[in-house]
Amino acid sequence: MRFFRKETPSESQGRGKRVVNHNNNLPVIGNSMNQGYHWQSEAGSKKSSVDDMVLLTKITEAAITDNLRRRLMEDRIYTYIGPVLVAVNPFKQLPCFGEREIELYQGAAQYEVPPHIYSVADTMYRNMLIDSDCQCVIISGESGAGKTVSAKFIMNFITRISGGGQKAQVKDIILESNPLLESFGNAKTIRNNNSSRFGKYVEIQFSRGGEPLGGRVSNFLLEKSRVHSLNHGERSFHIFYQLCAGATGDMKNALGIASPDYFSYLSQSGVYRVDGTNDAHDFQETLRAMSVMGIDENTQMDILRIVAAILHMSNIPFTEQNNASFITDPNYLEFPAYLLGIDPGRLGQKLVSRVFDSKWGGKSERVDVILNTEQAQFTRDAWTKGLYSRLFDYIVETVNKAMDTDANLINIGILDIYGFEIFGKNGFEQFCINYVNEKLQQIFIELTLKSEQEEYQAEGIQWTPINYFDNKIVCDLIESKRPPGIMSILDDTCATMSAKSEGADEDFHRKMESQVGMNPHYQKVSSGFTIKHYAGNVLYDIDGFCEKNRDVLFVDIIEVMQSSSSAFIRSLFPDMIQTGAKSRPTTAGSKIKAQANDLVTTLMKCVPHYIRCIKPNETKKPHDWDDQMVKHQVEYLGLKENIRVKRAGFAYRRPFHKFLHRYAILSKDTWPSWHGDPREGINIIMRNINMDPGQYQIGRTKIFVKDPESLYMLEECRERKYDHYARVIQQAFKKYFCKQRYLKERMEASDLLVNRKERRSNSLNRNFFGDYIGVEYKRGLSSLIPRREKVVFAQTVDKFDRRFRKSKRDLILTRSHVYLIGRMQIKKGPEKGKVVDVIKRKIELENVVQATLSTFQDNLVLLHVRNDHETLLEIEFKTEFLLVLNRKLKEQCNRELPLNFINSFDYHVKKTRWGGGGIRKVVFTDGSTDEPLFSSVGSTLTVRIAHGLPSTSRPGLHRVITPDVIVLAGKVRALAETKNWHGSLRTGKLSIRQPLKNVQQIPRPAKPIQRGFIPPRPVGPAPLPPVMQGSPVNMGRGGSHSHTRSPFNSSIRHPQFTENPPFRLPQLNSNIPQVQPPPPPPDPAPPNQPTIGAGSNPHSSHSGPRRPPVPPPAKLLKPKIPQVMALYSYDARDTDELTFEEGDIMQLLKEDASGWWTCRIHGHEGFCPANYLQKI
C-alpha cells in the first residue's frame, strides 16, 4: 500500500494540527496529534467500538456483530478488517459524503482518518499511479445491503480527485451513466427499493498521470423476466414508472401513456410508488443522461416508443376456443404496432401462431402452428422481454461508445453486481445470481485466505494455518463439465427439448438426481432442489428452468421486427436467420457462466480491494437492528476468518526488487541502486531506520512487514528523504526562475523609457518586489482595500499640492484601481486625536489616460485622469510603477499606457470650494546634483537636476557581482582546496580561517536587512541521537516539517558575513592602520636618540628623569566564538539545517531552549540538534 497526503485549507491555518509536508503530501504526526484521529488510539481505549476489528479482544461472530451494532447506533457505518472495508446500510442520508470529506480523505493514509469508503477509493487511485497496476474493488453483500450506493460513492470520489482528461466530458459520462443504467436496469424488490437487476463492471481508464481517458461498462444477466412477471410488493424497471409520471402532455399523447395501473404488466403487484423516490424528477435526469451520452432527441423518442410499446403489448387480451387462442379485441394491436412501426395484422398473427420448419424426403417446409392461450401469452412475454433486453444492450453500448478510448493503459474497475438472494420462491434468475455471488466469494477466499496462507508456506515464513470454508465445491457443483454440473445438465436437457416444453423441467429434475444427487451440497425436494450455498441453503423451484434457459426469440418474431419502418428498431435486430442450422443454440446458463469466468479472469489481473456490505434489517428503517440476520451475514461473509488471518499475518509484502527500488533511498549504501544480495540490502535499510527485527521477515523472494505502523514508518522516512531533495531542487529552480523573471521585468520596464528618459544609476539592475509598504501586514491599509483586489504595487510617495508642497501618500495599485492613502486625525468622538488611514483619492484604472514625465533622471510622474484633475507624484520606483500600470491596462482595458516625455508641462489642480482649480506649470532645467532641487514662483515649479545615465542605457544581461559575493566565492574556493587547512598563507592567498594578525580590519558598513516577514524558530524538540532508545528513526525537528522557514531560507536575503573579509590595501585617503611597535630594548637609549612617543621633534633633548614610554594602543581582539564537536553524524532534513559528520568542529552562534542550536561550518549557517553536539 502507498500513502500520500494533500493539505486541506483548515490544516494550514490552525495550530496544533497535522503538520503537512507540501512536497511529498505525506502526513507527519505532530505533538498535538492526540487531539486528532489515529488508528492505534482505538486499542485498549474505553470507546464503545473499534474502527479496525483486527483490534477486537475476542474474535467471535457475536463480538463482531456487537461492534457493528454499536457503530451503527453512532452513525459510524464503516469499519475495517485490515484493508477490507465493512459497510452497514444506515437506511438514511448521512452528512459525511460532501466536499469536506473528499478533501479530508484525498491522499490520507488509512491510519490517520476514520474508516470511510473514500479511503478505499483513494488507496486504489494512489496505488494505481504508484505501481502502474490495474486496481479493482469487489463490492459484495446480499440484496439491499448498499452495494449500488457504494459503487456510486467510489465513482464520484475518483472522478472528483482525478485530473482533467483529454476528453472534457469523460467525467460527466462516467457519472451520468449511473442514473441512465439504473433507470433501465434497477427496480424495487421486497428487500431493496433500488435493487440492481443486472450486474455491471465499470472500468475507468487512466493515463499514467492519473487523468481519466475513457472507460467501459460490462453488463451481466439482465433479469428480463421482470418485464412481464412481478412478485407481490415489487415493481418493474424504473423507466416504466418514470415515463408514466414524468412525460409531458405532448409526449403522453404521442406514446399513449396513462397511469401505471392501466397497464397489465405494472398492475400485477399493485405497487406504483416508492417512498423517497420522485419518478418525474428521475425521468428528467434520465433524459439529461441520454443527452450527455450523445443520444439525440429523435433517438430518445425511439427508445421511449419501445418502452411504451411494451406497456401497450401487455394489455393485448387472449381467449381460447378449441385449443386455439384468439385476440379478444384487435383494437389493442393498433397502438403497439404503430409504435413499433409494424403491421397490426402481422403482430396479431405472430402472437397466436408459430412457424416451424419441417423436413421430409429432403424437402423443407414451413408450417404455421396455432398456439393455445398459455402459449400465446408466453410468446407475447418472450417478445416484450426480448425487445427490452436488446434495448438495454443498446444503451450499454452507447455508454461504452461515449467513453471509448484507444488508450489501453491502467484502469480502476468497480464491480456492482446483484447480491445473494433468497426469496419465498426462487427460480432460474435467483439460481444464476447466486452462482455469480459464489464465484465472487471464491475470489475473496482465493486472494485473502487461501493464497495468503499458501504464500507464507511457499516463502518459508513462520505461520500457523487457519481453517476456513472453501466454496470451490459449490462452484464445481454448478459449473463443472466433467463430471457434469447443474448447468451442463440443464443445457443437455434444453438441447433435447421438442418445440413444446412440457415435461422438460421434470426430465431435468430426474437427470440432476442421477448425476449430482450424491453431492453433499445438493438435496432433492419434490418441487425442485436445494443447494447449500456459502450464504445459506436456498430452495429452487424447477418450474420454467428449461424454458428460461433456452432464452430463444422465435425466428418469425425476428422477421417481423426486421420489417419495421423504424430504422432504430431494425438496428436492434441484426440477426442473420439461418434455416436448418445444426449448431446448438447458446443458452442463458452458458452465457452467464462464460461471463462469470471472464469476469473472474479480469478481476484476477487487477489488485483487488474489498467492500463487504451488511444489511442490518428487513424493515429498511434507521437504527433498526436484527441481530440474527447480521450474525448470519457475518458468518457467510467469512469476516471472523478474515480477522484471524489478518491478526496472524503480515500487513505488507513486496518482492525484493520492488522493495529495494522503493526504499533504497533510506540508506546511502543502497542508493541509488543496490547490486549485491537483495537480502543484505534489505537488512541494511532496516538497520538504518532502526526497524525492530520482529516486525519483518525475509522470505525466499519477498519481504513481509507485520504491522501497519511499521509500513507507515517506512513510508514516512522515505517521503522525508524525497522532501529534502525536492526542497533543494525547488530552491534551485526558484532561484533560476526568479533571475529570469527579474531580468525579463527589467528589460520590459526599460522598453518603456529607453531613448526617451535618462536613468538613475541604481535603477537599471534593480529587482522588482511590488509591495514596499507591506499592505498585508498593516490592518489600517488592508481594511481600505477590498479583498478581491490584489495589491500589485505599493510605495510611500510624495504628492505635490496646488502650492507645490509635498505630503506623504501611500500609492497602492490593484488590478482595477489606483489608491492614494493619507493620514487624518479624528476630531470628534471617543477616538478624538487618533490618526487613521483614509483614502484621499481613488482612480479607476480605465480612467488613467496618460502619464507625463521629463527626459531627466528625476522621479516625477504626472497622472492624467479622464474628466478629472491630474496628480503630480514623486515616485522613487517610478519605472516599476509604470511597468505594472501598463501591464494592468493591457489585461483589464486591452490598451497600453501612453507616455509623454516633455521638460515643461501644464496640468490642472483639484477644484476647491473657495475657488477654481487653476493651472500649474512644471519646468525642468539642468542642475548640479543628482537629487532634484525644487523652487516655486507663483504657479510655476522649477526642478533642477543633473543629467543621469544616457537614455539609451539598458539593464545588464549578466549578474552584478557585489563585494559580498566576491567574499563568498573566495571562501568556497579556499574550502575546495582543502577542508582542514588552517594555515595563514598558501600560494599567495590568505586563509579564510586565520585572518592576518597585527592588522586592524577595515570595518564595512553592514547591508540593510530587507523588510519582510521573518518566520520564528521551530518550536518542536530536537531528534534523539541514534544510540538513545525510543527513537527508531531520526524525525527531524519536532517530528515534522514546519510550515514556516528560518531566516536562512528567506526568499530575499543579502548574506551578512560575520567573519573578517580578506585583506585589502587601504585607500589613499583612508587612515593607515597603526602597527603594534616592537618591545623597547633593555638598556636606556643614548642621549641623542629620540624616545618613542616623546614628541614631534626628533632632535629635541630632555633633562631630568626620562618619561616612561607611551603604551601602545590596545590590540583589537576578535571576540572568541564558542565551538562544539559533533558526537554523531547527522543528515539535514531541511534546507535550513546543517549536515555534519561525527567529529566535526563547528562554531556555536546561538543556543535555544527548543533543542536546536544555530551553528556554522564550512561557511554555512543552520540549525543543529543540540543533543548531537558537545561544547569544547
Side-chain angles (χ1 to χ4, degrees), residues 504-741:
D505 293 333
E506 289 74 12
D507 186 25
F508 167 60
H509 201 192
R510 289 191 297 271
K511 289 183 178 180
M512 279 198 301
E513 176 62 22
S514 63
Q515 299 189 44
V516 298
M518 301 302 295
N519 193 298
H521 291 271
Y522 172 87
Q523 183 179 355
K524 179 183 178 182
V525 294
S526 59
S527 60
F529 59 96
T530 298
I531 294 180
K532 297 180 180 179
H533 289 283
Y534 77 96
N537 299 341
V538 182
L539 172 62
Y540 297 102
D541 192 331
I542 64 169
D543 185 23
F545 253 69
C546 292
E547 192 63 48
K548 292 177 180 178
N549 185 55
R550 288 177 66 184
D551 194 30
V552 176
L553 190 61
F554 303 127
V555 173
D556 45 351
I557 294 178
I558 296 177
E559 291 176 344
V560 172
M561 299 309 297
Q562 290 179 341
S563 67
S564 171
S565 61
S566 170
F568 176 75
I569 292 179
R570 292 197 303 271
S571 67
L572 299 181
F573 293 86
D575 308 62
M576 298 294 295
I577 300 175
Q578 298 179 357
T579 59
K582 297 183 179 180
S583 60
R584 177 182 292 188
T586 304
T587 61
S590 60
K591 288 180 182 178
I592 190 61
K593 183 168 68 172
Q595 289 177 336
N597 289 321
D598 290 343
L599 176 62
V600 170
T601 302
T602 301
L603 296 177
M604 295 295 284
K605 294 178 181 178
C606 303
V607 178
H609 305 263
Y610 303 95
I611 299 177
R612 313 292 265 173
C613 296
I614 300 289
K615 185 177 182 181
N617 58 68
E618 289 286 3
T619 62
K620 304 174 187 175
K621 295 180 180 179
H623 291 174
D624 190 9
W625 186 265
D626 188 333
D627 199 69
Q628 292 301 320
M629 179 180 178
V630 176
K631 188 178 293 185
H632 175 67
Q633 295 175 71
V634 168
E635 182 179 357
Y636 75 67
L637 288 174
L639 300 188
K640 183 179 72 172
E641 291 78 9
N642 194 202
I643 294 173
R644 292 174 60 192
V645 170
K646 289 301 175 186
R647 289 187 66 165
F650 295 83
Y652 171 88
R653 77 227 36 218
R654 273 295 183 274
F656 292 156
H657 68 281
K658 286 190 175 183
F659 182 88
L660 288 170
H661 177 74
R662 184 164 184 79
Y663 299 111
I665 196 172
L666 297 181
S667 173
K668 294 181 178 179
D669 298 328
T670 57
W671 180 257
S673 61
W674 175 258
H675 301 288
D677 184 6
R679 295 176 180 81
E680 182 182 352
I682 292 173
N683 284 322
I684 291 174
I685 294 173
M686 293 304 194
R687 285 195 301 268
N688 191 67
I689 64 171
N690 294 331
M691 176 72 75
D692 183 0
Q695 283 295 311
Y696 67 95
Q697 289 191 40
I698 299 178
R700 295 185 176 92
T701 61
K702 295 181 180 180
I703 177 176
F704 296 80
V705 179
K706 187 171 183 59
D707 293 335
E709 63 267 31
S710 300
L711 173 61
Y712 301 147
M713 187 181 72
L714 274 168
E715 284 293 321
E716 187 169 319
C717 295
R718 176 183 180 272
E719 297 305 330
R720 288 174 67 85
K721 281 281 189 180
Y722 275 107
D723 171 69
H724 170 67
Y725 297 140
R727 287 176 183 272
V728 173
I729 296 172
Q730 283 181 342
Q731 186 181 29
F733 172 77
K734 288 178 180 179
K735 183 178 179 181
Y736 171 80
F737 180 78
C738 288
K739 287 181 179 179
Q740 298 301 314
R741 188 189 68 184

Side-chain angles (χ1 to χ4, degrees), residues 710-983:
S710 300
L711 173 61
Y712 301 147
M713 187 181 72
L714 274 168
E715 284 293 321
E716 187 169 319
C717 295
R718 176 183 180 272
E719 297 305 330
R720 288 174 67 85
K721 281 281 189 180
Y722 275 107
D723 171 69
H724 170 67
Y725 297 140
R727 287 176 183 272
V728 173
I729 296 172
Q730 283 181 342
Q731 186 181 29
F733 172 77
K734 288 178 180 179
K735 183 178 179 181
Y736 171 80
F737 180 78
C738 288
K739 287 181 179 179
Q740 298 301 314
R741 188 189 68 184
Y742 287 147
L743 178 59
K744 182 180 178 181
E745 287 181 343
R746 291 196 296 268
M747 295 301 295
E748 185 179 350
S750 175
D751 291 339
L752 297 176
L753 307 181
V754 68
N755 296 324
R756 306 166 79 179
K757 185 176 178 64
E758 296 175 355
R759 304 300 300 275
R760 299 179 72 85
S761 58
N762 295 326
S763 66
L764 282 176
N765 294 298
R766 188 182 65 81
N767 293 333
F768 298 157
F769 300 109
D771 185 0
Y772 298 91
I773 299 177
V775 177
E776 182 181 356
Y777 304 104
K778 294 188 176 182
R779 184 177 302 177
L781 288 177
S782 60
S783 63
L784 299 176
I785 309 299
R787 289 187 176 181
R788 295 181 180 272
E789 294 192 33
K790 181 181 179 181
V791 176
V792 293
F793 180 84
Q795 186 188 5
T796 301
V797 301
D798 289 326
K799 175 188 173 297
F800 290 85
D801 62 7
R802 62 179 55 249
R803 297 182 181 179
F804 302 116
R805 292 176 302 186
K806 291 184 180 181
S807 57
K808 293 294 182 183
R809 294 288 188 268
D810 288 335
L811 173 64
I812 298 178
L813 174 61
T814 68
R815 294 178 177 177
S816 56
H817 291 87
V818 178
Y819 294 88
L820 286 173
I821 298 177
R823 311 297 177 270
M824 182 184 71
Q825 191 176 40
I826 299 177
K827 298 180 180 180
K828 296 181 181 180
E831 297 184 346
K832 180 179 179 181
K834 181 179 179 181
V835 178
V836 295
D837 297 320
V838 293
I839 297 178
K840 295 293 186 178
R841 189 173 189 188
K842 179 179 179 181
I843 306 172
E844 292 188 4
L845 201 62
E846 60 183 10
N847 291 333
V848 179
V849 296
Q850 181 179 301
T852 299
L853 302 90
S854 74
T855 61
F856 289 86
Q857 61 168 331
D858 62 282
N859 292 326
L860 268 65
V861 177
L862 180 66
L863 289 181
H864 300 264
V865 183
R866 182 182 292 112
N867 301 325
D868 205 347
H869 66 279
E870 290 87 1
T871 296
L872 182 61
L873 303 172
E874 186 177 20
I875 308 173
E876 182 179 0
F877 299 145
K878 63 182 180 305
T879 308
E880 181 179 356
F881 170 72
L882 295 174
L883 170 67
V884 177
L885 181 60
N886 187 58
R887 283 181 175 177
K888 294 307 169 185
L889 284 173
K890 286 181 180 179
E891 295 175 4
Q892 305 297 329
C893 307
N894 197 25
R895 64 181 177 88
E896 293 188 356
L897 175 66
L899 296 178
N900 183 28
F901 295 88
I902 187 172
N903 293 332
S904 178
F905 55 80
D906 299 335
Y907 69 97
H908 294 81
V909 296
K910 181 181 179 181
K911 294 182 180 181
T912 64
R913 55 185 178 178
W914 293 286
I919 297 177
R920 300 294 183 266
K921 185 174 184 178
V922 181
V923 178
F924 296 85
T925 61
D926 291 342
S928 58
T929 62
D930 289 338
E931 295 300 325
L933 299 177
F934 300 97
S935 61
S936 62
V937 177
S939 61
T940 302
L941 175 67
T942 302
V943 183
R944 293 179 174 85
I945 188 170
H947 287 283
L949 298 178
S951 61
T952 57
S953 301
R954 283 282 196 174
L957 297 179
H958 301 286
R959 180 183 178 187
V960 178
I961 307 300
T962 63
D964 287 339
V965 176
I966 297 175
V967 173
L968 179 62
K971 291 184 177 183
V972 173
R973 283 194 297 268
L975 289 173
E977 293 176 1
T978 173
K979 181 178 178 181
N980 299 318
W981 177 51
H982 297 283

Side-chain angles (χ1 to χ4, degrees), residues 979-980 1124-1128 1139-1146 1161-1162 1173-1174 1176:
K979 181 178 178 181
N980 299 318
V1124 293
M1125 181 178 68
L1127 300 178
Y1128 316 100
T1139 297
F1140 51 83
E1141 302 293 337
E1142 180 180 351
D1144 282 352
I1145 305 298
M1146 295 177 285
I1161 183 173
H1162 304 158
L1173 309 175
Q1174 181 181 10
I1176 57 176

